[in-house]
């Protein structure tokens, strides 16, 4: 039986601007003690709370069309007690140890995520007069 040749190297394009890796093992240990520990009611996993918090501004998920990918990964070998380890892949020198109930705005800043969606390319908002910005009645 002839061997099949290996698949050729290919590239898959994504729209990812940021990639957040969340330790699945830490989250699972925390879930046993609490119902997730994150989000407004403290009942969501870190991944779900972060996705819901960022969704109004960005396309968030793990698919190729997401602008910010939030992905659960294997153990990051930090293993904090009662917290979850997470890291922004663009800033691997700082793994964040996130305790349940952390404010999502603080979390966003600690992970180095952008504050607002930047304007579309080619659109200069500084040239727009103030009167045009207000809706007309």
């Amino acid at each position: 039986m002839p061997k099949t040749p290996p698949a050729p190297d290919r590239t898959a394009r994504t729209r990812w601007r940021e990639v957040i890796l969340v330790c699945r093992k830490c989250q699972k240990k925390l879930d046993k003690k609490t119902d997730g520990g994150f989000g407004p009611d403290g009942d969501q996993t870190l991944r779900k709370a972060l996705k819901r918090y960022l969704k109004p501004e960005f396309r968030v998920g793990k698919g190729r069309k997401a602008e910010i990918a939030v992905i659960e990964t294997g153990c990051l070998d930090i293993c904090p007690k009662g917290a979850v380890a997470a890291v922004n892949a663009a800033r691997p020198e700082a793994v964040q140890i996130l305790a349940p109930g952390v404010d999502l705005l603080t979390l966003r800043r600690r992970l180095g995520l952008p504050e607002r969606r930047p304007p579309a390319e080619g659109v200069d908002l500084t040239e727009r007069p103030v009167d045009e910005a207000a809706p007309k009645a």
Side-chain angles (χ1 to χ4, degrees):
M1 184 176 227
K3 292 184 179 180
T4 57
D9 291 338
R10 297 185 287 172
T11 301
R13 294 204 180 269
T14 69
R15 293 184 183 163
W16 295 352
R17 293 181 16 204
E18 303 282 345
V19 178
I20 305 300
L21 303 174
V22 177
C23 180
R24 180 183 302 118
K25 187 175 176 182
C26 291
Q27 185 65 62
K28 196 171 193 176
K29 284 181 182 178
L30 192 63
D31 283 346
K32 289 181 181 178
K33 295 178 182 176
T34 65
D35 285 337
F38 297 94
D41 298 327
D43 61 346
Q44 297 172 343
T45 64
L46 177 60
R47 183 175 145 264
K48 187 177 278 190
L50 195 56
K51 284 172 62 173
R52 288 196 177 162
Y53 175 68
L54 296 170
K55 195 163 185 125
E57 295 177 59
F58 302 98
R59 281 189 218 109
V60 182
K62 62 181 179 179
R64 295 180 331 134
K65 293 183 180 180
E67 293 172 297
I68 297 178
V70 182
I71 301 171
E72 282 190 343
T73 185
C75 187
L76 295 174
D77 287 336
I78 305 286
C79 303
K81 291 190 184 230
V84 177
V87 64
N88 185 333
R91 295 161 194 83
E93 69 278 358
V95 176
Q96 301 297 320
I97 308 301
L98 305 165
V102 67
D103 178 51
L104 292 173
L105 181 60
T106 303
L107 171 63
R108 180 183 203 160
R109 288 186 183 137
R110 286 179 61 187
L111 288 171
L113 296 173
E115 290 296 320
R116 271 180 252 139
R117 180 190 297 235
E121 289 183 31
V123 176
D124 186 12
L125 297 178
T126 58
E127 294 180 8
R128 193 170 162 191
V130 177
D131 295 334
E132 287 183 17
K136 295 180 181 178

